[in-house]
Amino acid sequence: MDWDGLTPVRGQGLVLRDWTDADIPTMVTLFNTDEMDRWTPLPQPFDTDVATDYVRQAREAREGGTLALAITHDGGAPMGEVLLFPTETATGCEFAFAVGQEHRGQGLAARAVLALFPVAVSAGYQMSRLVIATGNTASQRSAVAAGFSLAPSPLQRRERKGYVLQMATWTRTLER
């Protein structure tokens, strides 16, 4: 997937843009928390070196079809991140998100995912999913707000960073 020239993405009152080196201090503040450690695969501690590498990896991931974008109100200071990436099927994609603690309660995750729906549809995706830990009620609320439904598939057990998580799949059809 060629995402060149795509960003910034505007919609839902947000501007989703590429991460820049100038975002590194803010990324450390957003992502270096116990909650991010528990619910996301982001490395911890999420320090300046990790953030620098993350920005580089986000740029490189585009070649594999992954978008990792900063969630902003106006293209300025990041409040979190939204990702869009392909799944194992040609017509399926997955979204993921992480919102900094001080920015929660604004519907940012759901709005960011909804803002990326037209991008996913234009890329030919027809089905989307979120994979959320069963104990992560904030992310589950975001899934519902974005129109996702809990899929009847079995839970997936994931072990990462010393945590054992039961992951549920949420799905939503993408329409043109």
Side-chain angles (χ1 to χ4, degrees):
M1 181 62 48
D2 182 13
W3 300 117
D4 287 342
L6 171 75
T7 55
V9 175
R10 290 177 170 81
Q12 301 288 318
L14 300 173
V15 176
L16 310 176
R17 63 164 178 77
D18 294 308
W19 289 109
T20 69
D21 291 339
D23 295 324
I24 290 169
T26 303
M27 292 173 81
V28 171
T29 301
L30 292 172
F31 300 143
N32 192 39
T33 69
D34 290 341
E35 193 168 9
M36 291 292 178
D37 184 36
R38 171 124 180 103
W39 300 124
T40 74
L42 293 169
Q44 294 295 325
F46 199 94
D47 58 21
T48 301
D49 291 338
V50 171
T52 301
D53 193 47
Y54 192 86
V55 170
R56 181 190 54 75
Q57 288 177 12
R59 290 179 188 131
E60 292 172 357
R62 280 177 170 246
E63 294 175 21
T66 296
L67 280 176
L69 304 173
I71 301 171
T72 75
H73 280 301
D74 57 4
M79 300 174 289
E81 174 178 57
V82 63
L83 295 101
L84 166 63
F85 50 94
T87 64
E88 60 282 346
T89 64
T91 59
C93 67
E94 185 170 330
F95 294 96
F97 49 78
V99 174
Q101 187 171 357
E102 65 203 50
H103 303 292
R104 295 190 185 135
Q106 301 176 47
L108 295 173
R111 289 166 46 207
V113 168
L114 290 170
L116 278 181
F117 274 12
V119 173
V121 169
S122 70
Y125 295 125
Q126 298 170 6
M127 180 58 71
S128 62
R129 74 178 180 205
L130 295 164
V131 179
I132 301 171
T134 56
N136 190 341
T137 56
S139 289
Q140 292 168 9
R141 284 192 299 271
S142 295
V144 170
F148 285 77
S149 300
L150 187 59
S153 56
L155 297 176
Q156 302 167 30
R157 184 176 191 268
R158 288 194 187 158
E159 293 183 43
R160 69 174 177 230
K161 300 187 292 186
Y163 298 105
V164 176
L165 302 172
Q166 296 296 321
M167 307 298 287
T169 301
W170 297 71
T171 58
R172 178 176 170 171
T173 302
L174 297 173
E175 300 168 356
R176 291 199 177 271

